[in-house]
Amino acid sequence: MRWARWLWAVVITVVLGALLFEFTMVWTIGVGTYMITMGELTGLWFLVAGYVLACVPPAFGLLVATGGFWRSMTHALWIGLIYGAVGFLFLDQVAGLTI
């Protein structure tokens, strides 16, 4: 029965990440980075928002899979960092696929 819980967690993570937050996360990180390079410190808010959007899918998926709230939240912080960085690095491919 444990495998069913992990399968459900993967489905939740993929649906939240790919369908709901991917494009918005990549857009906010990209705009935030652009604004910071142009000297606008308001871009930090965009970077924070993009990072939060990158952390939400793994947090929910891990919460379903493990049932541990704090473990899910702390693991989602570094998973979100990796997810956001990879999304930003492949910004042109992601934008090309979604437009």
Side-chain angles (χ1 to χ4, degrees):
M1 198 61 174
R2 186 166 170 85
W3 62 270
R5 190 172 190 176
W6 279 96
L7 179 65
W8 185 239
V10 169
V11 168
I12 287 173
T13 303
V14 168
V15 167
L16 281 175
L19 299 180
L20 298 177
F21 292 133
E22 177 68 30
F23 185 72
T24 307
M25 180 262 307
V26 169
W27 184 83
T28 54
I29 291 175
V31 168
T33 305
Y34 175 75
M35 288 176 74
I36 289 173
T37 59
M38 297 305 288
E40 294 285 334
L41 292 180
T42 312
L44 289 173
W45 288 107
F46 281 94
L47 285 177
V48 169
Y51 177 64
V52 169
L53 287 173
C55 291
V56 168
F60 277 104
L62 286 168
L63 187 61
V64 169
T66 63
F69 178 79
W70 291 113
R71 183 176 183 194
S72 301
M73 294 303 128
T74 56
H75 280 51
L77 292 175
W78 65 267
I79 294 171
L81 184 66
I82 294 170
Y83 181 52
V86 169
F88 178 72
L89 292 175
F90 294 115
L91 176 64
D92 52 349
Q93 282 84 13
V94 172
L97 292 175
T98 56
I99 295 177

